[in-house]
Amino acid sequence: MSDLKRTPLYDLHVALGAKMVPFAGYEMPVQYKAGVMKEHLHCRAAAGLFDVSHMGQVILRADNPEVAKAALERLIPQDVLGLGEGRQRYGFFTNDAGGIEDDLMFANRGDHLFVVVNAACKDADVARMRAGLEPDVTVKLLENRALLALQGPKAEAVLAEHHPSVAEMRFMDVATVPIAGAECWVSRSGYTGEDGYEISVPLAAAQELAQALLAHEDVEAIGLGARDSLRLEAGLCLYGHDIDDTTSPVEGGLTWGIQKARRSGGDREGGFPGDDRILSEMQKGADRKRVGLLPEGRAPMREGTVLFAVADAETPVGTVTSGGFGPTVGAPVAMGYVDAAHAEIGTNLFGEVRGKRLPVSVAKLPFVAAGFKR
Amino acid sequence: MKFTEEHEWLRVEGDEVVVGITAHAAEQLGDVVFIELPEEGTVVSKDDEIVVIESVKAASDILAPLDGEITEVNEALVEEPSKVNEDPEGEAWFFKLKIEDMSALDDMMDEAAYKKYIG
């Protein structure tokens, strides 16, 4: 445990009664006193505060901002050049085989790009960006900022008490906003399926900001346990589970995240790692697809559950990559990969749980409608 | 009540014992979302995995604390697994076990010993 890192909110988590666990090299709160179920439901009903300071915050800068944008397009299949100032996009680093190395958020903050990557991948991502972008672009991993997420239907009202301008932001807008006396970089986004904000805050001000937000009666601290069930109900991928270096964006159902300019026939078609496979799969379809899965019974189908087309089949047709109980759905929910022939919504399959083949059907994602302010 | 190192409690009722999990175990498990109970009439041996209990975090098993026959199961838990978190040492019993030799309970922990065991 001794080599685990701590976020600037560590003491606050402990004071709030969090159960701390190792996650991606950090000691992180998996839950607080209320427990996963109540935390999950609170976030959907009011507002939840998440410490996501373990994630990597990276600045990409070049003398000419257009150079940095064009350079990033060499590493990801997203339209970076077309992203307006003050806007953010979801993206993913691909590899030469068309798999996904990590997913990310990137924002156009005028004279630089601000990138947020997963904690477990951040060292590899920084190395990838240095190798792929330097010397024209400088890549700086920020060690002096924390990252908080305020999520839920009351998030806007809560944060607007600190600065009214945040209420004017639309989904995926980014802005610099003074909150609690600190220069915060705010985006209207998150990973719960709810409306809300992610707030990058200087380390020295992080604890004060967290306490100020938690002081509001509508806000509770939410741990990684509920973060996982919230994102699962929202149909959002967890890197290393639902997507990895072998899954293509087409298999992963993420082609909505590849803008027209980078697709076949687009102004800047291809030109990213794995473009041959990815563009070809976008035309012809992939052999397997990520789908939502609704077990019919009450037994959760967890990651690794093997899926079959019929109850007595010998050959599997897929595997669950994330699964558990959905507190808002009130039933088990899962997602996973199935052969394309079995990916249609409504297809009846069987998942093997403790030696029994239990019925499960392919379902539309997300399981809970998104509350974004578009 | 008697307690096992597997965090079960046992309460004697005639020639049967009623079995559940302790408040400590329920808290460690977190919110319980699924329970699979054995069939009534099943003859079990000590340490057989006879109940599946899943929380929001993980799946685990409850072991038979003694040799015996399952005479009754608490079907209400299947519909409302959250009872395990609400009243683990009362309403949320799991099964009743008919045992031959009640003296087997003598070696088990009493409440004071169990409290010491969980620290």
Side-chain angles (χ1 to χ4, degrees):
Chain A
M1 293 284 278
S2 61
D3 54 353
L4 289 172
K5 288 184 258 189
R6 292 176 175 179
T7 77
L9 300 186
Y10 177 85
D11 292 341
L12 180 61
H13 297 314
V14 172
L16 291 170
K19 187 172 174 187
M20 305 299 287
V21 298
F23 181 83
Y26 285 79
E27 276 185 88
M28 296 300 290
V30 67
Q31 65 167 77
Y32 299 85
K33 284 180 191 155
V36 175
M37 191 94 77
K38 287 199 180 84
E39 290 170 25
H40 176 116
L41 295 171
H42 182 87
C43 182
R44 292 249 188 269
L49 183 69
F50 303 74
D51 179 10
V52 285
S53 303
H54 56 315
M55 298 183 82
Q57 302 182 66
V58 182
I59 297 264
L60 305 181
R61 197 184 289 272
D63 291 338
N64 176 353
E66 298 304 304
V67 170
K69 291 188 202 169
L72 184 58
E73 286 200 353
R74 297 199 299 264
L75 301 183
I76 65 176
Q78 278 69 44
D79 177 0
V80 187
L81 282 165
L83 180 67
E85 184 172 344
R87 294 289 291 163
Q88 176 176 270
R89 261 186 188 143
Y90 174 75
F92 27 84
F93 293 110
T94 50
N95 58 35
D96 290 338
I100 298 172
E101 292 287 321
D102 193 13
D103 59 350
L104 64 136
M105 290 285 193
F106 60 98
N108 176 351
R109 286 181 39 85
D111 64 354
H112 66 274
L113 294 170
F114 178 53
V115 178
V116 178
V117 299
N118 281 305
C121 304
K122 68 182 170 187
D123 293 339
D125 289 339
V126 168
R128 175 180 301 106
M129 287 189 276
R130 292 217 161 109
L133 306 178
E134 286 178 347
D136 300 344
V137 180
T138 60
V139 178
K140 188 176 178 193
L141 176 66
L142 302 181
E143 307 281 5
N144 59 351
R145 296 186 83 87
L147 192 64
L148 307 183
L150 183 68
Q151 301 279 293
K154 301 278 179 71
E156 178 188 291
V158 171
L159 200 61
E161 287 183 14
H162 294 273
H163 203 286
S165 69
V166 299
E168 307 303 318
M169 296 173 72
R170 287 180 301 134
F171 182 59
M172 292 295 210
D173 276 353
V174 297
T176 300
V177 183
I179 300 175
E183 183 195 290
C184 294
W185 305 342
V186 177
S187 73
R188 192 151 197 172
S189 64
Y191 219 61
T192 59
E194 296 299 320
D195 179 31
Y197 303 88
E198 291 195 346
I199 309 161
S200 171
V201 53
L203 282 187
Q207 179 145 337
E208 191 186 334
L209 173 59
Q211 281 172 322
L213 295 171
L214 287 168
H216 196 289
E217 60 176 3
D218 286 332
V219 180
E220 295 290 342
I222 313 291
L224 292 178
R227 184 171 171 80
D228 191 49
S229 54
L230 287 159
R231 69 90 200 162
L232 172 57
E233 283 185 341
L236 299 169
C237 292
L238 178 60
Y239 188 76
H241 300 260
D242 307 303
I243 44 175
D244 62 26
D245 58 5
T246 69
T247 58
S248 76
V250 183
E251 292 173 331
L254 298 174
T255 52
W256 58 267
I258 302 176
Q259 289 76 27
K260 201 175 163 190
R262 309 302 306 279
R263 297 181 178 197
S264 298
D267 291 344
R268 299 184 307 286
E269 168 184 332
F272 50 83
D275 51 1
D276 284 350
R277 175 187 173 189
I278 293 166
L279 295 180
S280 157
E281 281 187 357
M282 285 181 79
Q283 303 284 336
K284 297 177 196 158
D287 292 341
R288 57 175 183 164
K289 285 174 84 175
R290 181 175 63 93
V291 296
L293 296 161
L294 274 177
E296 284 177 25
R298 301 183 75 109
M301 292 188 184
R302 297 187 188 269
E303 181 175 2
T305 300
V306 178
L307 301 167
F308 297 88
V310 291
D312 57 356
E314 283 181 19
T315 312
V317 297
T319 313
V320 171
T321 52
S322 281
F325 186 80
T328 302
V329 174
V333 291
M335 60 171 102
Y337 283 83
V338 296
D339 295 347
H342 303 280
E344 200 171 314
I345 288 165
T347 304
N348 293 309
L349 300 173
F350 293 84
E352 189 165 300
V353 179
R354 291 178 286 270
K356 289 182 202 158
R357 302 276 176 95
L358 305 176
V360 54
S361 58
V362 175
K364 189 171 168 287
L365 291 173
F367 297 109
V368 173
F372 307 141
K373 294 283 160 64
R374 291 187 193 274
Chain B
M1 285 224 279
K2 290 287 191 175
F3 297 86
T4 71
E5 291 179 359
E6 305 292 332
H7 306 284
E8 292 154 292
W9 54 261
L10 291 80
R11 194 175 68 229
V12 177
E13 279 184 5
D15 62 348
E16 295 179 336
V17 288
V18 186
V19 181
I21 63 166
T22 65
H24 171 76
E27 196 193 323
Q28 293 296 312
L29 280 172
D31 303 299
V32 175
V33 297
F34 174 75
I35 288 171
E36 190 173 273
L37 296 165
E39 299 273 326
E40 290 174 2
T42 310
V43 174
V44 300
S45 303
K46 183 176 184 303
D47 295 340
D48 282 358
E49 297 168 353
I50 53 174
V51 174
V52 175
I53 180 164
E54 291 207 35
S55 73
V56 285
K57 295 174 203 160
S60 42
D61 296 300
I62 293 176
L63 310 180
L66 297 164
D67 295 350
E69 182 188 339
I70 305 283
T71 55
E72 197 179 338
V73 297
N74 188 357
E75 291 287 353
L77 294 186
V78 174
E79 289 305 311
E80 257 188 282
S82 59
K83 283 186 176 191
V84 176
N85 299 105
E86 289 154 17
D87 192 10
E89 298 186 9
E91 209 184 335
W93 57 277
F94 282 81
F95 53 86
K96 294 181 181 177
L97 191 64
K98 188 175 175 183
I99 56 174
E100 295 287 314
D101 178 15
M102 281 289 176
S103 70
L105 273 79
D106 295 345
D107 296 337
M108 291 183 177
M109 291 180 276
D110 61 13
E111 189 165 2
Y114 179 69
K115 277 194 172 151
K116 201 172 166 190
Y117 174 68
I118 60 175

